Amino acid sequence: MQLNLENLNDAQIKAVRQTSGPVLVMAGAGTGKTRVLTTRIGYILSEKLAAPWQILALTFTNKAANEMKSRIDAMAEGAFYAGDIWCGTFHSICLRILRSNYATAGLRSDFLIYGEDDQKNVIK
């Protein structure tokens, strides 16, 4: 696994090495949030503090989620399967949970979720 802490500042390194409890990284665009989060995931995995399937990384956009997955996969270098990490948007992760637990939620296995436009079309 390839961890590179050299391109992080002191505050970012502190966030990467913080392993007890959750970490909230808030900063402006282009300041390295994704780099910090993906490096933190790599750090946790390299220190054997969690297995890939025990990690949840949430973001707001598909673009950010895909970028995180790509960086984690590149960092893994075959040390683990990056697809085992629960990484995605709030919506995609909640859908994944619902798909896994549809019966408990009182849903059919082939349930659908309609977007706003689809809802309007169904009503029409």
Side-chain angles (χ1 to χ4, degrees):
M1 178 179 309
Q2 182 66 20
L3 282 180
N4 184 3
L5 301 180
E6 295 172 4
N7 58 353
L8 301 176
N9 64 36
D10 290 341
Q12 291 170 326
I13 291 171
K14 183 178 177 184
V16 166
R17 291 188 172 151
Q18 170 62 39
T19 59
S20 61
V23 171
L24 176 64
V25 176
M26 294 185 356
T31 58
K33 294 181 298 295
T34 302
R35 184 177 343 124
V36 169
L37 293 173
T38 54
T39 304
R40 182 171 189 257
I41 290 168
Y43 181 79
I44 289 168
L45 292 170
S46 70
E47 295 294 312
K48 308 263 191 267
L49 300 172
W53 56 88
Q54 294 174 311
I55 294 177
L56 172 63
L58 294 171
T59 186
F60 288 101
T61 66
N62 286 321
K63 180 181 177 185
N66 290 334
E67 182 62 27
M68 286 179 69
K69 290 175 191 176
S70 174
R71 291 184 190 191
I72 292 167
D73 192 43
M75 189 185 326
E77 295 182 330
F80 59 88
Y81 175 56
D84 284 340
I85 295 173
W86 284 58
C87 179
T89 64
F90 285 90
H91 292 101
S92 69
I93 295 296
C94 288
L95 179 59
R96 184 174 171 182
I97 292 168
L98 274 176
R99 291 268 180 234
S100 298
N101 299 282
Y102 65 88
T104 304
L107 301 169
R108 293 177 15 175
S109 62
D110 60 347
F111 74 89
L112 298 173
I113 296 178
Y114 287 130
E116 189 174 335
D117 291 339
D118 292 327
Q119 292 174 23
K120 289 177 183 175
N121 288 335
V122 167
I123 292 172
K124 289 179 185 176

